[in-house]
Structure formats: structure tokens, C-alpha cells
Amino acid sequence: MRTGFFWDESCFWHSGGNYAGMLPVGGLVQPMVNGGLPESPESKRRMKNLLDMTDLSGELDMRGSEPATQRDLLRVHPANFLDQFKAMSDAGGGEIGLRCPFGPGGFEIAAQSAGLAKAALQAVLKGDVKNAYSLSRPPGHHCTADQPMGFCLMANIAIAIEAGFADGLAKRVAVLDWDVHHGNGTEAIFYERADVLTISMHQENNFPLNTGAFADRGAGEGEGFNLNIPLPTGAGHLSYLEAMDQIVLPQLRAYQPDVIIVACGFDATVIDPLGRMMATVDTFREMTKRVMVLADDVCEGRLMMAHEGGYSEVYVPFCGHAVLEEMSGSQIKAPDPLADLYLQRQPGEAHQRFVSSEIAKMRDALGN
Ligand code: ZN
């Protein structure tokens, strides 16, 4: 069996918003010739192109999917939100929620993005593929049931999970979010549920502001089934692996999920415009290896990754390629072109020690 790679051209056509970086154009913010939101199609399109250039895509099971159905969407999102989004989309687009612009047909593209995640998860749960990657765009992890934000228009992963539950394909699901931003949407949707463990490892207090605290552990039946690991700004390769080894992996193992889903953002890299962390291609490679070993131990290797953020159009493709090299076990390599520049530019020893002590505090509090 091969690694499934789920993608759809329409996801690259999602557009909208007159922005210059994160700023709406107007006043003293000049429009950009090649501008727009940092969440451009290029990081995703170039990732797919790189897979084709090296022919790694030839070793993957390249698939498309149907869009998520209204029934799929309604398991997570209220009808009035979907109706409003669809009406705006039919009328030419607009902006819904915080930093969530979209163009004509944005509703259908968002449903397609969620449909890819749903199909990827189903393929994994049915044993049709070795594991799977969904190149979803727009991303999903900031979107709550009724509040899109941070480029996320629908909650892709939550929609995929609920479809899996509805079809009786899984009972317990673990989500590990390593996007540099807090996975607040996925957290909120499952906050009072014990059947979905949500873990978010993120730069502390980046986005959204004032969410993602270590103290937020879930509520009601979900008490203890949400975990935030806010890492100090500037944490690098070694810190990410330390957090994985000391906190994330023991928590995943203790939960014994039927499948592990990774909210796979590549914006924790040293070159990303929207993060202030120092991960590299190797960080994502090593984290992928670790998650795969764990998935082999606890859930027969069942692993699905859904693409989230990542805004370096140059570097994201190489991070994605490395993840897919590991997932598929391919010998085709796309070496990190920035290794000479960035691998040696990791945090100094004092900062490294500081981050380690913060990680140790969280580990000790959890009793891992
Ligand atoms: Zn992000």
C-alpha cells in the first residue's frame, strides 16, 4: 500500500481580499503588485510541483475527492453560518470572520478542502492506503463551529473526524497540531469531548491572542482531553523534538487512539513570515518519523496529515516533501536548500536551556 496524497486544483484557486501582508489595503497601506494575503496558493502549489519535479508523486497514491456534503458540514457547522457563507460566496465573495476573505465560489472551494481531509481520513481508516496527506486549502484549524478566523473558513479536520465517527470507522481520534499557531478551532469544537484528544504545540500567544494556555485542559467529559504546549518564541529544532519526546508522544500513547491526525502547518520554520520560531525541514522530518513510530505502536500505523499554515513560498515545499518522503518511505530526496543558511543558526545555548526548562515544567505538571 502507498501513501495517499489528496489534492484538488480548485484549492489553489481560492482567492480574495485586498491585502498587503496581514493588513487590509487602505489609508497608508499601499496595495501590492503581487500582493494579497500571506495565505497565497503558492506555498501549496509549489509543494505539489516539487513532488512532481522529483517524481515523488509517482510513488504516492495521488487522489482527488468529492467536496464535503452539506450533511458532512452540518455535523460541525450550524446551518445559519453555512447559509450566510454560501450566500456571500454566490454574491461574489467577501470577508467572513477575522482575516477570512474569499472570492466567488469560496464556499464550494472550502467544502472541497474539507472533502479532501474527509476522504484522506476515510482512506486511512478503511485501510486503502498506508497513510495519507491532504493538501487542504483553505486551512481549517482556527475555524470554530460558527466563527471562521485566521484564513480558516471551515473546520476541515473536525468535519473529517465527524464523518469518520458517523460511518463507524473510528471511536477515538487524536489530533496533534504542530502549526505555529494555536489550533483554537479544533480545540473549541472538541473541548467537552473525550473521544477526541486535541494537542496543540504552538508559539505562545502568537495567534489567536490569549488562547492556547497550558492550563486549558478541556471541560466536562472532555476534561483532560485537550492539551496546549505553548513554546517560547524562538524555540528551534531541538526544542520541538524535546517537546515531542517529553510531552506529545507520551500523551498520545496514553490515549491509545484509533488514528492520529496531524494538523500539519509549516509556519514554525526559521524563514516563515507569520511565526517567530526556528524549525527547519529536518524538524518536520524528525517529528514525522516519531509520530509514525508511535502510530505503528498504538494504531497499526494509521496516520493522516491535513495541511494547515505555512507561508514561506520557498521553504514550505521542501518541508512538505520531507514529510512525504518519511510517510511513504521513499528514497527520493529533495535536500533542504537552506540547510547551510539555517541549520547552523539555531538558538544559542542560554535560550535553548530556557526553553528546555519551560518544557520540563509542563512535562512534570503532566506527570509524564
Ligand atoms: Zn499557522
Side-chain angles (χ1 to χ4, degrees):
M1 273 193 305
R2 292 189 290 172
T3 292
F5 185 86
F6 291 75
W7 72 286
D8 190 279
E9 180 66 28
S10 70
C11 289
F12 304 140
W13 291 39
H14 166 51
S15 68
N18 192 8
Y19 276 78
M22 292 299 290
L23 302 171
V25 166
L28 293 177
V29 180
Q30 183 182 339
M32 294 173 76
V33 176
N34 297 313
L37 278 180
E39 202 293 288
S40 84
E42 284 308 288
S43 53
K44 272 67 67 172
R45 199 196 312 263
R46 290 168 61 106
M47 177 174 153
K48 163 73 171 50
N49 289 346
L50 185 63
L51 297 172
D52 289 340
M53 279 301 284
T54 63
D55 205 26
L56 180 53
S57 52
E59 295 187 5
L60 305 176
D61 189 347
M62 303 296 279
R63 296 190 181 197
S65 81
E66 295 296 312
T69 64
Q70 187 75 359
R71 205 164 159 220
D72 294 328
L73 303 180
L74 281 168
R75 290 192 193 100
V76 172
H77 299 294
N80 59 354
F81 159 67
L82 295 173
D83 291 347
Q84 186 200 359
F85 183 5
K86 173 83 167 105
M88 287 174 72
S89 172
D90 288 349
E95 180 140 8
I96 194 167
L98 181 66
R99 299 284 186 273
C100 286
F102 58 95
F107 181 90
E108 283 72 21
I109 299 176
Q112 179 62 64
S113 181
L116 292 172
K118 173 193 164 188
L121 184 60
Q122 299 240 330
V124 168
L125 292 172
K126 288 177 178 168
D128 294 344
V129 291
K130 179 188 177 203
N131 46 36
Y133 194 99
S134 169
L135 189 58
S136 294
R137 176 175 185 266
H141 73 148
H142 291 309
C143 185
T144 69
D146 59 0
Q147 182 60 65
M149 57 195 289
F151 320 137
C152 299
L153 291 161
M154 291 180 184
N156 300 333
I157 286 176
I159 291 164
I161 291 172
E162 293 292 11
F165 282 155
D167 289 345
L169 295 171
K171 289 198 169 68
R172 286 165 80 79
V173 176
V175 181
L176 165 59
D177 188 322
W178 65 39
D179 188 282
V180 81
H181 305 105
H182 175 221
N184 63 294
T186 323
E187 172 186 277
I189 290 165
F190 297 113
Y191 204 64
E192 298 184 18
R193 299 254 301 261
D195 53 355
V196 181
L197 170 68
T198 45
I199 301 178
S200 177
M201 184 163 55
H202 47 265
Q203 180 188 346
E204 62 182 353
N205 214 24
N206 177 325
F207 183 89
L209 261 187
N210 303 319
T211 68
F214 178 71
D216 299 342
R217 296 302 317 279
E221 284 182 16
E223 178 79 48
F225 297 99
N226 181 69
L227 176 61
N228 290 312
I229 307 165
L231 295 172
T233 299
H237 177 77
L238 291 176
S239 298
Y240 270 88
L241 298 189
E242 219 168 70
M244 286 290 287
D245 291 342
Q246 297 190 26
I247 304 178
V248 172
L249 298 174
Q251 291 292 316
L252 288 174
R253 184 179 298 279
Y255 186 69
Q256 292 283 312
D258 299 327
V259 59
I260 297 171
I261 298 176
V262 175
C264 185
F266 294 123
D267 40 12
T269 68
V270 61
I271 197 178
D272 198 277
L274 299 193
R276 294 293 178 268
M277 304 300 251
M278 298 186 76
T280 69
V281 163
D282 266 7
T283 312
F284 293 100
R285 180 189 301 288
E286 292 302 322
M287 291 198 295
T288 301
K289 281 185 191 169
R290 282 162 163 77
V291 171
M292 288 178 71
V293 168
L294 185 87
D296 280 342
D297 279 358
V298 303
C299 52
E300 295 169 348
R302 284 188 289 271
L303 172 66
M304 188 277 263
M305 296 207 193
H307 198 94
E308 296 286 355
Y311 306 98
S312 167
E313 293 166 0
V314 176
Y315 207 42
V316 163
F318 291 91
C319 295
H321 200 282
V323 163
L324 283 153
E325 287 168 31
E326 297 305 323
M327 289 179 82
S328 64
S330 174
Q331 293 308 307
I332 295 176
K333 305 294 179 199
D336 180 352
L338 293 175
D340 287 347
L341 266 179
Y342 289 121
L343 279 182
Q344 290 137 34
R345 283 166 176 75
Q346 286 291 303
E349 231 175 273
H351 188 265
Q352 189 71 51
R353 267 201 308 277
F354 164 66
V355 181
S356 291
S357 70
E358 294 296 305
I359 291 171
K361 276 184 220 163
M362 291 187 268
R363 177 202 62 205
D364 293 347
L366 292 166
N368 281 354

